[in-house]
Amino acid sequence: MSATADQPADKTYAPLELFDTNRLLDDDERDIAATVREFVDTRLKPNVGDWFESATLPRELGREFGRLGLLGMHLQGYGCAGTNAVSYGLACLELEAGDTGFRSFVSVQGSLSMFSIYRYGSEEQKQQWLPRLATGEAIGCFGLTEPDFGSNPAGMRTRARRDGAGDNADWILHGTKMWITNGNLADVATVWAQTDDGVRGFLVPTDTPGFTANVIHRKLSLRASITSELVLDNVRLPASAQLPGAIGLGAPLSCLNEARFGIVFGALGAARDALETTIAYTQSREVFDRPLSCFQLTQEKLANMTVELGKGMLLAIHLGRIKDAEGVRPEQVSLGKLNNVREALAIARECRTLLGGSGITLEYSPLRHANNLESVLTYEGTSEMHLLSIGKALTGQAAFR
C-alpha cells in the first residue's frame, strides 16, 4: 500500500545504517570518516567528472591531502598522523566514494612510497623524505610492476649493478616499470631491481639523469589518476640510495600488503556511492506512472546489493581490528581484497542497469566506479592470484609456481 496524507511513508535508511556499522567504530574513527567524507563531497565530487573526462589529476591535491593528515596517516612520527588501521581504512573508503583515483593517490603515497621508506629506509632517508611526503610537498611512486612481469615480480628484468668496488660504490639502474600510479607527478620513486644479491630497493629522485616518466594515455579506467611508464636508462645513484633494510622480494610484497589493506575498505566506498546514487535515482525516476523504486525487481536488486555491501564492511572492520591487534596475515588481506573488490564491481554494474540510459553519462557515478574497479580487480594482485593465495593457505600447495 502506498503512503497517503494520513499514512506517512516508512522511515528509510542508508544501506550501511541497516547494519549499524557505526556502532563498531570509536569516536575518533567516526570523526575521521566524517571529515574525509565532507572533503570529498565539497572539494572532490564537484570536479571529478571533469578530471575523469580530461584524464587529469591536479598535483596540488597532494598538499590538500597532506593538510588533512591523510598521507602516511597510519605511520608513526616524521609528521605522520599515527592513526590506527581502521581509521586509515575508513579514510580510503571515503576517498574512493569520490573516485578510485583519489584513494589510489593516497594509497600509493602512504602505503607504498612512504611505507617502503618507513620500514626499510635508513634514518637519513626517512628524515629526508617522510616529512615532505606527509605534507604533500613531495610526491612518491612505487616501481615494481614491469611490462612483462606483474603477477610474477620475481622475474623482473630491471637490473642494478655496482660501478666500482667497496660498499660506497655507485649503483647503475637500467630497466622499465609499467602501470605506475603518480609516476609523472612524483619527486621520488621507490624502484625495485635485481642485483647480484637478489632483489633490492632504491630511492630514485625523478630529476636524476636517465630517469624518464611517460604518461599512459587512452585509458578507459582510472582516468582521474596519473598512470605512467618509468624508464631507467643507466641511472647512476650513490650507495646511499639503496634501502638498507630491503632484502629480497619479501620487502616489496610487504608494501603491497599494506596497500591491499586500504583497498579492502576503499572498494566499498565506490560501491556505497554507486548504491546511494542509485537509490536516490530510483525514488525520483517515474516508470509507468510510479517511482522506479516501487517495483519488486528494483527492490530485489537494491536489497541484494545492500546485503553484499554490509557483509563487505563487516569483513573490512574485522580485518582492521586484527591488523591493529596482532597483525593481519597476507592471506587474510587476500580474502578481503578478493571479496570486496569483486562485490563492489558487481554492485556498480548492477546500479548502472537501474539508471538506464542515464547511467552511461558522467552525471551519475556507477559506471565510472565500475570502470575504475576493473583496474582495482587487477592491480595489487589480480583476483586469480588472491584466489591462489587463499588456496595455498588452505592446502599448503602453491599452485601458481
Side-chain angles (χ1 to χ4, degrees):
M1 182 180 296
S2 57
T4 67
D6 297 326
Q7 180 186 345
D10 291 338
K11 176 177 172 56
T12 60
Y13 297 88
L16 290 178
E17 286 180 335
L18 290 179
F19 288 81
D20 202 9
T21 50
N22 262 349
R23 180 190 297 271
L24 305 177
L25 309 176
D26 64 30
D27 288 342
D28 287 343
E29 292 162 350
R30 285 191 288 268
D31 287 345
I32 288 170
T35 298
V36 180
R37 184 166 190 169
E38 180 182 13
F39 174 77
V40 171
D41 287 345
T42 59
R43 172 70 176 101
L44 301 182
K45 282 188 176 181
N47 298 296
V48 67
D50 291 337
W51 294 334
F52 190 89
E53 188 167 28
S54 61
T56 58
L57 185 74
R59 195 181 195 282
E60 61 266 22
L61 284 180
R63 291 182 183 270
E64 296 183 48
F65 292 144
R67 284 194 290 272
L68 277 177
L70 298 176
L71 303 178
M73 61 184 289
H74 56 309
L75 306 180
Q76 300 287 334
Y78 306 99
C80 301
T83 66
N84 66 3
V86 171
S87 293
Y88 170 60
L90 293 169
C92 288
L93 184 152
E94 297 300 341
L95 287 166
E96 195 146 356
D99 191 83
T100 302
F102 308 140
R103 197 266 309 145
S104 288
F105 182 103
V106 169
S107 178
V108 168
Q109 181 91 341
S111 290
L112 294 180
S113 173
M114 294 177 70
F115 183 79
S116 65
I117 300 169
Y118 181 84
R119 172 66 66 88
Y120 300 110
S122 66
E123 185 60 32
E124 180 181 359
Q125 290 168 333
K126 295 175 187 178
Q127 294 289 350
Q128 178 184 3
W129 288 110
L130 290 180
R132 295 171 58 207
L133 290 166
T135 62
E137 175 189 349
I139 294 175
C141 67
F142 187 87
L144 177 63
T145 299
E146 297 189 357
D148 296 319
F149 295 95
S151 295
N152 179 26
M156 72 177 73
R157 295 194 180 106
T158 298
R159 294 285 305 180
R161 59 177 177 83
R162 302 305 288 260
D163 185 28
D167 292 339
N168 291 322
D170 286 351
W171 288 96
I172 308 295
L173 272 64
H174 189 84
T176 303
K177 300 296 181 179
M178 196 67 172
W179 309 115
I180 309 304
T181 298
N182 297 348
N184 278 76
L185 301 177
D187 300 285
V188 62
T190 300
V191 174
W192 302 92
Q194 296 279 10
T195 74
D196 290 340
D197 297 316
V199 173
R200 297 291 185 270
F202 301 87
L203 295 182
V204 184
T206 57
D207 59 359
T208 305
F211 180 95
T212 306
N214 303 308
V215 174
I216 297 172
H217 296 288
R218 304 183 73 182
K219 295 185 300 179
L220 298 175
S221 176
L222 279 178
R223 292 180 57 79
S225 177
I226 305 301
T227 312
S228 308
E229 172 197 46
L230 307 183
V231 179
L232 299 105
D233 185 9
N234 293 316
V235 171
R236 180 178 292 272
L237 299 171
S240 59
Q242 183 183 355
L243 292 170
I247 300 173
L249 192 60
L253 294 183
S254 72
C255 299
L256 290 176
N257 212 48
E258 288 292 308
R260 288 166 183 156
F261 173 78
I263 293 172
V264 174
F265 278 85
L268 300 176
R272 188 197 69 192
D273 182 72
L275 183 52
E276 290 179 346
T277 297
T278 302
I279 291 171
Y281 179 87
T282 62
Q283 291 171 323
S284 63
R285 173 77 161 102
E286 288 202 355
V287 181
F288 301 109
D289 301 320
R290 299 174 63 196
L292 180 58
S293 59
C294 289
F295 291 87
Q296 289 183 1
L297 287 179
T298 299
Q299 293 194 8
E300 178 189 31
K301 290 182 177 184
L302 297 177
N304 282 333
M305 290 188 286
T306 294
V307 168
E308 294 307 323
L309 175 64
K311 286 158 60 177
M313 189 66 176
L314 293 172
L315 174 59
I317 294 172
H318 178 61
L319 292 177
R321 296 296 181 218
I322 294 174
K323 184 172 171 58
D324 280 326
E326 64 269 21
V328 66
R329 300 192 303 274
E331 61 270 20
Q332 292 175 311
V333 177
S334 287
L335 284 169
K337 182 180 186 290
L338 174 68
N339 181 78
N340 288 5
V341 176
R342 186 166 62 186
E343 297 306 322
L345 179 56
I347 287 170
R349 288 170 173 167
E350 188 79 291
C351 284
R352 208 293 307 162
T353 70
L354 287 169
L355 295 173
S358 297
I360 70 167
T361 74
L362 282 172
E363 296 302 311
Y364 298 93
S365 64
L367 187 55
R368 173 169 54 81
H369 285 311
N371 283 355
N372 287 335
L373 288 165
E374 290 286 355
S375 292
V376 183
L377 196 69
T378 297
Y379 72 31
E380 314 288 357
T382 66
S383 289
E384 291 82 358
M385 294 305 295
H386 288 297
L387 281 165
L388 296 180
S389 172
I390 296 166
K392 179 185 175 184
L394 296 172
T395 67
Q397 303 296 321
F400 46 82
R401 293 177 182 170

